[in-house]
């Protein structure tokens, strides 16, 4: 192939891939006088296709929709493209549902979630021809922890042998809750638990009189990821009234029903 023919062919090749950014080429001139040129080119970045996340901030385990639109430089859609979603960087705890081929509008969707809170860079590449053409448009996904509930204050003493524990939740999702009770503040010994419940309250019963009890709760979102423990509250159980013992009464001295001092004080003693 003559040099002029080779350059013309190369220009037509590059024109057909104007939507590609990175092009590296090497020219090898054989030791001859024929003017033949050997061309090697690598094309691997797509500047025009788009990627978006909805929502871009999610709780741990919550999926974000990854929308991808594959287009040519003039905006024309590219249907039938095989797109692969990947994480640029640490992907520990990440699950990706890969998209189907792009439709006639060049569109397709996939899903990504992580059970590990953190910041993730979500990218995509076109592998239709067996080559990796990387879409330049990557987006950041923010994964936040499942929030911890907030226990409401407890009275110093709780009447009877049962206690209803209450709490609030600041998250916007759907949650289940797990409550524990212990006689130690570090919960080294857990006496009882609620199991996973849907309410913002739980009643513990068969509590002992004069015993101090500590309570805490954690949440689990609808994607099965648990959050941290709440603040700890405590109360002393008061199941019995006090025992009152009569000790005595002071002397009436000279006060009688005949001669009575209306301001005289009588002391009645109890224990």
């Amino acid at each position: 192939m003559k040099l002029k023919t080779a350059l013309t062919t190369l220009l037509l090749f590059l024109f057909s891939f104007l939507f590609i950014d990175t092009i590296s080429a090497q020219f090898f001139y054989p030791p001859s006088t024929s003017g033949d040129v050997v061309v090697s080119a690598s094309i691997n970045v797509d500047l025009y296709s788009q990627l978006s996340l909805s929502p871009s901030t999610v709780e741990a385990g919550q999926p974000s929709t990854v929308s991808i639109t594959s287009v040519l430089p003039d905006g024309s859609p590219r249907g039938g493209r095989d797109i692969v979603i990947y994480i640029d960087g640490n992907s520990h705890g990440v699950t990706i549902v890969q998209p189907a081929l792009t439709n006639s509008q060049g569109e397709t969707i996939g899903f990504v979630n992580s059970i590990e809170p953190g910041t993730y860079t979500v990218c995509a590449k076109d592998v239709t021809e067996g080559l990796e053409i990387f879409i330049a448009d990557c987006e950041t996904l923010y994964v936040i922890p499942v929030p911890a509930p907030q226990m409401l204050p407890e009275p110093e003493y709780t009447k009877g042998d049962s206690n209803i524990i209450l709490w609030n939740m600041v998250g916007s999702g759907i949650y289940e809750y797990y409550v524990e009770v212990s006689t130690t503040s570090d919960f080294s010994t857990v006496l009882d638990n609620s199991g996973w419940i849907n309410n913002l309250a739980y009643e513990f019963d068969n509590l002992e009189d004069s015993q101090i009890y500590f309570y805490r709760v954690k949440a689990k979102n609808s994607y099965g990821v648990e959050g941290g423990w709440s603040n700890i509250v405590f109360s002393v159980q008061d199941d019995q009234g006090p025992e009152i013992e009569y000790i005595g009464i002071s002397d009436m001295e000279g006060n009688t029903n005949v001669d009575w001092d209306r301001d005289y004080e009588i002391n009645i003693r109890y224990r």
Side-chain angles (χ1 to χ4, degrees), residues 14 18 27 30 39 50 53 64 73-74 89 104 118 121 126 137 139 158 176 179 193 211 218 226 229 239 260 268:
L14 296 179
L18 282 177
F27 295 86
V39 179
Q50 298 295 314
L53 301 176
S64 176
D74 62 0
S104 59
T121 302
D126 188 326
D137 183 25
E139 298 292 337
T158 299
E176 292 182 316
V179 195
N193 65 76
Q211 175 65 55
K218 63 180 177 179
E226 298 179 19
W229 290 105
D239 189 26
W260 179 259
I268 303 175

Side-chain angles (χ1 to χ4, degrees), residues 17-253:
F17 285 94
L18 282 177
F19 67 96
I20 303 301
D21 175 48
T22 302
I23 300 174
S24 59
Q26 292 180 322
F27 295 86
F28 300 95
Y29 295 90
S32 68
T33 58
S34 64
D36 291 348
V37 178
V38 178
V39 179
S40 174
S42 175
I43 304 169
N44 64 354
V45 177
D46 178 354
L47 288 175
Y48 297 95
S49 297
Q50 298 295 314
L51 180 150
S52 65
L53 301 176
S54 180
S56 58
T57 300
V58 296
E59 276 187 11
Q62 178 184 357
S64 176
T65 302
V66 184
S67 299
I68 302 165
T69 304
S70 179
V71 297
L72 292 169
D74 62 0
S76 301
R78 306 178 73 226
R81 307 302 294 181
D82 187 6
I83 307 296
V84 173
I85 299 169
Y86 68 96
I87 301 297
D88 185 11
N90 180 24
S91 61
H92 180 69
V94 174
T95 298
I96 298 174
V97 177
Q98 296 294 349
L101 298 178
T102 58
N103 59 21
S104 59
Q105 301 300 313
E107 300 172 345
T108 189
I109 62 170
F111 302 91
V112 60
N113 73 78
S114 175
I115 60 173
E116 299 288 342
T119 302
Y120 300 90
T121 302
V122 181
C123 302
K125 56 187 176 182
D126 188 326
V127 296
T128 308
E129 277 83 25
L131 302 173
E132 293 184 334
I133 308 299
F134 296 90
I135 296 175
D137 183 25
C138 295
E139 298 292 337
T140 302
L141 178 67
Y142 301 96
V143 181
I144 61 176
V146 176
Q150 181 67 35
M151 279 283 197
L152 298 183
E154 279 288 292
E156 184 176 356
Y157 291 91
T158 299
K159 184 179 179 179
D161 65 352
S162 63
N163 191 11
I164 298 177
I165 307 302
L166 304 171
W167 59 90
N168 288 327
M169 186 63 177
V170 297
S172 58
I174 299 174
Y175 304 96
E176 292 182 316
Y177 304 96
Y178 188 91
V179 195
E180 290 184 342
V181 58
S182 174
T183 54
T184 57
S185 59
D186 62 357
F187 287 80
S188 56
T189 301
V190 176
L191 299 180
D192 198 4
N193 65 76
S194 64
W196 290 105
I197 60 175
N198 297 319
N199 301 326
L200 293 173
Y202 185 76
E203 181 175 11
F204 289 102
D205 53 19
N206 297 320
L207 303 177
E208 296 182 7
D209 179 58
S210 301
Q211 175 65 55
I212 183 172
Y213 291 99
F214 299 87
Y215 305 91
R216 66 181 183 178
V217 61
K218 63 180 177 179
K220 177 174 66 175
N221 65 17
S222 57
Y223 309 102
V225 179
E226 298 179 19
W229 290 105
S230 68
N231 58 312
I232 297 173
V233 297
F234 61 89
S235 181
V236 176
Q237 209 63 34
D238 187 8
D239 189 26
Q240 298 179 4
E243 294 183 5
I244 301 176
E245 178 186 356
Y246 171 72
I247 298 176
I249 187 171
S250 63
D251 193 346
M252 298 292 293
E253 296 185 358

